[in-house]
Amino acid sequence: MPIPLAHSLADQNIQAKADIHPNLGTSELVEAAIRNGEGELSKYGSLVVKTGAHTGRSAKDKFIVRNAETEDTVWWGKVNASMTPEHFAALKEEFLAAVGEKDTLYVADLFGGSQPEHRVNVRVINELAWHNLFIRTLLVRPDVQELANFAPEYTIIDLPSFRADPARHGCRSETVIAVNLEEKLILIGGTKYAGEMKKSVFGILNYLLPAKGVMPMHCSSNIGPDGKTAVFFGLSGTGKTTLSADASRTLIGDDEHGWSDTAVFNFEGGCYAKMIKLSEEAEPEIFATTRKFGTVLENVVMDPQTRDLDFDDNSLAENTRGAYPLEYIPNTSEKNLGPVPSNVIMLTADAFGVLPPIARLTPDQAMYHFLSGYTAKVAGTEMGVTEPEATFSTCFGAPFMPRHPSVYGNLLKERIAAGGAQCWLVNTGWTGGKYGEGSRMPIKATRALLNAALDGSLNDAEFRKDANFGFDVPVAVPGVDSAILDPRSTWANGEEYDAMAGKLVQLFIDNFAEFADHVDEGVRQSAPSGQAA
């Protein structure tokens, strides 16, 4: 049953002749999506939709308005491209005109953030019912009493049918994601990829929270049987979702969190998981969500006759996705939050075969590796491409960080110091050689090392200093083959390992050069081989 808006669109100076559907529930939005021809039900009851040409984020089409609010607070450059206030005003005028012509609109009032004192009120206006269902699933849903007094602070208008004009709007193409932090308005046009809405809210919180001393994080998080929280940073392909989805631990969330004085809290009320090659054997909890009513499956191929799902078929997209409420995963935190972290895990998939499977980091080293945000992509299928490719995404989420990376790095260091969290670098990549020569790190060994780190027993192990990176590496751990703890010994040729290690060290040093002037001497001295970056 729809719940009326406490503050109308007219109160926001948004004029609409449309039939407005406010705060619909899951069943009503699924019915509307089916009725509108936006998607189809699978045989299991999940809603299957297609996003068309855009099957992922349009990073180069995102702009932040450069004005008095943002001039000195946003990290301008490749990640945060600017739009003039004049161009935004023209875009906004045409966007609101387009809204005014719609016959039907879906509006959801939601929270970004699960800790009440640090959340933000977000209103989302959609032309598509399934988009409204998606964002209602992904954000935190207010109860009836909260909706009765809900006053929107930030507003997102998402119109896939809108086509931007680069000449009039100062953008790059017909697709645009324009963020005005002064007006607290985000306009999304020309794309049906629903993840743009989710990441826009993440961007808002990444901008607002540091000023309050709260650390926003692109990470997963869970709580152990001992009541202690762990957070897992990691880029795509490093095992962030897999390693945090441990049946023996309580899941707080899989992607976006804040670290306040008193808690780690999920920014969201749902999960947005990759579906490609999903199997019941490897990830039973996530697989089970695809068979639940209310789950939204993007670009997953479905047999038109049987309505069965084929997770191995990437003909629509490699980036197939599923959105589902957090409570669809067993053993989740009731309030989407937990105690401040006792352990901080930074995951990397090192395809160079250089890094050890686990290393203990000092706070300075943790800040260095957090700002580096390293992982490696494996060699592609092109002729002649045989070497792994290093990827550095600062703060393990550069595209979503409006402020300078040092702001987040210093916050992390302060939080670690205040709470006494232990930090670990975990390599889920290659051992015994680089990609193509060595083999993937055994998941059994990774889990054993991770469990030892999380239960505290690893701190009692004997450690050695890594010759290249200077961090502590365990010499022996019960249940783990000691050979893999020393990467050099796993290579057939030690000199080849040394050459590859030297190459990786230099990549780290070169990448860190842009941050060197923004960190203190202790962090600079945490560069590999003891050299200042």
Side-chain angles (χ1 to χ4, degrees):
M1 182 176 178
I3 300 175
L5 303 176
H7 291 261
S8 70
L9 296 189
D11 292 337
Q12 297 180 274
N13 295 316
I14 298 174
Q15 305 303 320
K17 67 175 185 180
D19 182 10
I20 295 172
H21 298 280
N23 297 310
L24 295 185
T26 298
S27 297
E28 295 160 308
L29 287 168
V30 170
E31 288 171 349
I34 298 296
R35 188 168 57 245
N36 298 343
E38 298 172 11
E40 298 178 290
L41 285 182
S42 74
K43 67 185 289 186
Y44 309 105
S46 46
L47 180 65
V48 182
V49 298
K50 297 175 183 176
T51 64
H54 295 271
T55 58
R57 290 183 305 103
S58 300
K60 293 181 180 179
D61 293 309
K62 177 192 163 194
F63 301 88
I64 298 176
V65 178
R66 194 164 189 156
N67 51 29
E69 166 70 30
T70 59
E71 178 65 43
D72 299 323
T73 53
V74 168
W75 182 41
W76 301 109
K78 289 186 299 182
V79 171
N80 297 305
S82 65
M83 174 179 281
T84 67
E86 293 76 19
H87 279 133
F88 183 83
L91 179 68
K92 176 183 174 182
E93 181 180 358
E94 293 185 35
F95 237 87
L96 293 183
V99 168
E101 292 301 313
K102 296 297 174 188
D103 294 325
T104 305
L105 290 170
Y106 302 89
V107 182
D109 287 337
L110 301 158
F111 295 133
S114 299
Q115 190 169 7
E117 54 267 46
H118 298 305
R119 69 192 181 196
V120 64
N121 291 8
V122 181
R123 168 167 288 175
V124 186
I125 302 170
N126 299 111
E127 63 177 322
L128 296 178
W130 85 259
H131 269 196
N132 206 242
L133 173 61
F134 172 92
I135 199 63
R136 185 182 179 277
T137 300
L138 264 294
L139 294 187
V140 179
R141 297 165 287 282
D143 60 29
V144 173
Q145 185 175 352
E146 290 167 330
L147 285 172
N149 301 294
F150 192 97
E153 298 170 69
Y154 285 80
T155 299
I156 298 172
I157 306 176
D158 190 342
L159 303 179
S161 64
F162 185 89
R163 295 294 179 264
D165 183 324
R168 292 199 306 275
H169 305 137
C171 51
R172 191 185 69 102
S173 72
E174 291 186 337
T175 299
V176 66
I177 301 95
V179 181
N180 192 320
L181 291 165
E182 192 172 65
E183 294 189 25
K184 301 182 177 180
L185 177 63
I186 297 172
L187 306 175
I188 303 172
T191 173
K192 286 172 71 175
Y193 182 68
E196 298 287 9
M197 293 182 286
K198 160 191 158 71
K199 289 305 183 187
S200 293
V201 177
F202 190 33
I204 291 169
L205 290 164
N206 284 337
Y207 181 77
L208 296 176
L209 292 180
K212 301 173 69 175
V214 177
M215 171 71 185
M217 303 178 291
H218 188 212
C219 71
S220 58
S221 182
N222 62 26
I223 308 169
D226 56 4
K228 294 181 178 179
T229 300
V231 296
F232 301 79
F233 292 99
L235 301 173
S236 180
T238 59
K240 179 165 60 90
T241 300
T242 300
L243 291 172
S244 64
D246 184 329
S248 69
R249 299 175 65 85
T250 300
L251 182 69
I252 299 174
D254 77 325
D255 196 38
E256 302 169 3
H257 295 81
W259 183 348
S260 69
D261 289 336
T262 58
V264 165
F265 61 98
N266 195 350
F267 288 170
E268 304 180 303
C271 299
Y272 192 36
K274 287 186 177 180
M275 293 285 137
I276 196 68
K277 298 191 182 345
L278 180 70
S279 73
E280 187 172 15
E281 295 73 27
E283 298 181 89
E285 293 86 3
I286 296 175
F287 186 86
T289 69
T290 68
R291 301 185 171 210
K292 289 181 180 290
F293 180 80
T295 291
V296 180
L297 298 177
E298 291 181 337
N299 302 312
V300 172
V301 173
M302 181 174 70
D303 185 290
Q305 272 74 48
T306 66
R307 301 288 181 100
D308 209 352
L309 303 168
D310 186 348
F311 297 108
D312 293 325
D313 190 332
N314 65 353
S315 58
L316 293 177
E318 184 68 27
N319 186 37
T320 57
R321 293 273 182 168
Y324 48 87
L326 196 64
E327 59 265 27
Y328 280 10
I329 297 290
N331 198 25
T332 53
S333 169
E334 184 179 349
K335 295 185 177 180
N336 293 0
L337 51 79
V340 296
S342 298
N343 286 280
V344 174
I345 313 297
M346 297 183 192
L347 299 167
T348 182
D350 176 30
F352 292 89
V354 169
L355 295 178
I358 196 166
R360 185 173 61 186
L361 306 177
T362 67
D364 282 333
Q365 289 170 339
M367 183 173 173
Y368 182 91
H369 285 277
F370 179 70
L371 289 175
S372 297
Y374 165 71
T375 193
K377 296 177 182 177
V378 298
T381 56
E382 297 175 44
M383 292 292 289
V385 179
T386 58
E387 290 295 310
E389 178 186 342
T391 298
F392 294 94
S393 183
T394 185
C395 308
F396 294 97
F400 322 117
M401 305 295 174
R403 297 181 184 269
H404 192 278
S406 62
V407 171
Y408 306 104
N410 281 313
L411 260 175
L412 178 68
K413 187 178 173 184
E414 291 166 13
R415 286 287 170 204
I416 291 168
Q422 182 61 65
C423 301
W424 306 89
L425 183 70
V426 173
N427 174 24
T428 60
W430 272 256
T431 181
K434 66 179 182 180
Y435 170 80
E437 297 175 8
S439 57
R440 195 74 192 252
M441 197 72 69
I443 186 68
K444 185 178 179 182
T446 299
R447 285 199 181 278
L449 291 167
L450 193 54
N451 289 338
L454 296 180
D455 68 21
S457 62
L458 190 55
N459 278 314
D460 297 328
E462 178 188 352
F463 286 82
R464 64 174 178 83
K465 288 283 183 192
D466 185 87
N468 297 296
F469 286 84
F471 40 48
D472 291 338
V473 180
V475 174
V477 178
V480 177
D481 181 2
S482 295
I484 70 167
L485 297 173
D486 180 6
R488 190 178 191 275
S489 72
T490 67
W491 282 53
N493 186 315
E495 291 181 357
E496 289 183 4
Y497 170 86
D498 294 338
M500 188 62 76
K503 177 180 178 179
L504 183 59
V505 162
Q506 193 60 50
L507 288 170
F508 266 87
I509 292 171
D510 292 345
N511 172 75
F512 203 80
E514 66 176 308
F515 307 123
D517 292 339
H518 299 275
V519 300
D520 59 33
E521 185 62 20
V523 178
R524 285 194 290 271
Q525 290 300 329
S526 295
S529 294
Q531 302 173 56

